[in-house]
Amino acid sequence: KQEVTQIPAALSVPEGENLVLNCSFTDSAIYNLQWFRQDPGKGLTSLLLIQSSQREQTSGRLNASLDKSSGRSTLYIAASQPGDSATYLCAVRYGNQFYFGTGTSLTVIP
Amino acid sequence: SAVISQKPSRDICQRGTSLTIQCQVDSQVTMMFWYRQQPGQSLTLIATANQGSEATYESGFVIDKFPISRPNLTFSTLTVSNMSPEDSSIYLCSVKTGYNEKLFFGSGTQLSVL
């Protein structure tokens, strides 16, 4: 079974700080990797999707990178804001199967 | 992209009762997925719903407990039957669509069973 790990489980930063969230996977033969945001008790909102042939994707203050050889993806959030407080999950796709990490709970302190 | 309307958004139910969750997608999709997210945990796939055929259930999930309907390419329901407190979770529907087959999720149903 594929494993997807997100460390740390929780992170607290002051407003304005740049931060990096990590996602690790055991098998490098991925199809794509997707980052999501989840607010408490809610569904998942797609942030960025990186195809296996890509190295990074950017949207606004978010930048996601992918290094298949090391089994790692990072989500970089620039100039963090209190509204960024949420749980961030990564999902790795192998064929038609999706494997989700347990998420990093981010708190941005005003 | 896909917009998924999921309802109810939350419910509190008594043990032994059943709840049906509905998902409506704004475009036609071949497959819809139903996930469960137990408190503090990640997502677990319950089943994949295909239009015109029976849903495909993952190990540990059975049709009698989680019957699924998929009457057309834009709609699906998941029923949680004979509920117990262990069924308290967030239930999510999802679709895969677009040229890059991105995953999109409904807003989730937070279920509490007393």
Side-chain angles (χ1 to χ4, degrees):
Chain A
K1 182 185 175 184
Q2 306 292 356
E3 287 191 11
V4 180
T5 306
Q6 291 185 251
I7 296 173
L11 181 64
S12 184
V13 300
E15 181 177 1
E17 191 163 298
N18 303 325
L19 61 102
V20 174
L21 306 179
N22 298 297
C23 173
S24 300
F25 44 93
T26 51
D27 184 344
S28 63
I30 71 170
Y31 184 85
N32 63 35
L33 185 147
Q34 199 166 347
W35 281 94
F36 295 90
R37 168 191 172 130
Q38 185 177 30
D39 292 295
K42 302 296 184 181
L44 278 64
T45 299
S46 178
L47 298 174
L48 290 164
L49 180 146
I50 311 178
Q51 301 290 357
S52 69
S53 59
Q54 297 175 321
R55 296 284 294 184
E56 64 179 310
Q57 283 286 316
T58 298
S59 176
R61 295 183 293 110
L62 306 179
N63 177 277
S65 68
L66 175 64
D67 184 345
K68 288 191 300 179
S69 61
S70 66
R72 188 178 174 201
S73 175
T74 61
L75 179 66
Y76 174 83
I77 302 177
S80 58
Q81 303 171 358
D84 295 330
S85 297
T87 297
Y88 291 81
L89 294 96
C90 63
V92 183
R93 178 178 172 182
Y94 296 96
N96 280 319
Q97 301 288 324
F98 297 86
Y99 296 87
F100 290 83
T102 50
T104 294
S105 177
L106 173 66
T107 302
V108 181
I109 304 166
Chain B
S1 66
V3 177
I4 305 173
S5 173
Q6 182 175 342
K7 56 183 180 182
S9 58
R10 62 190 308 140
D11 208 340
I12 301 173
C13 300
Q14 296 296 319
R15 181 195 296 262
T17 62
S18 297
L19 175 72
T20 295
I21 302 167
Q22 299 180 3
C23 265
Q24 178 76 50
V25 189
D26 68 344
S27 58
Q28 294 185 338
V29 293
T30 304
M31 290 192 287
M32 292 181 74
F33 308 99
W34 287 98
Y35 287 90
R36 180 176 74 182
Q37 186 180 30
Q38 294 178 303
Q41 299 192 24
S42 191
L43 280 70
T44 301
L45 181 64
I46 298 172
T48 301
N50 300 302
Q51 192 267 338
S53 62
E54 254 188 33
T56 302
Y57 289 83
E58 298 298 307
S59 175
F61 299 96
V62 295
I63 188 171
D64 289 346
K65 175 67 175 177
F66 298 100
I68 288 171
S69 78
R70 184 80 200 276
N72 56 54
L73 291 174
T74 64
F75 187 78
S76 179
T77 67
L78 169 75
T79 299
V80 186
S81 302
N82 188 25
M83 288 184 285
S84 67
E86 292 71 35
D87 294 319
S88 297
S89 297
I90 299 173
Y91 291 85
L92 299 150
C93 63
S94 174
V95 303
K96 180 180 63 174
T97 188
Y99 72 94
N100 56 8
E101 297 196 311
K102 187 181 288 189
L103 270 184
F104 294 92
F105 283 83
S107 52
T109 296
Q110 186 160 24
L111 171 63
S112 297
V113 183
L114 304 179

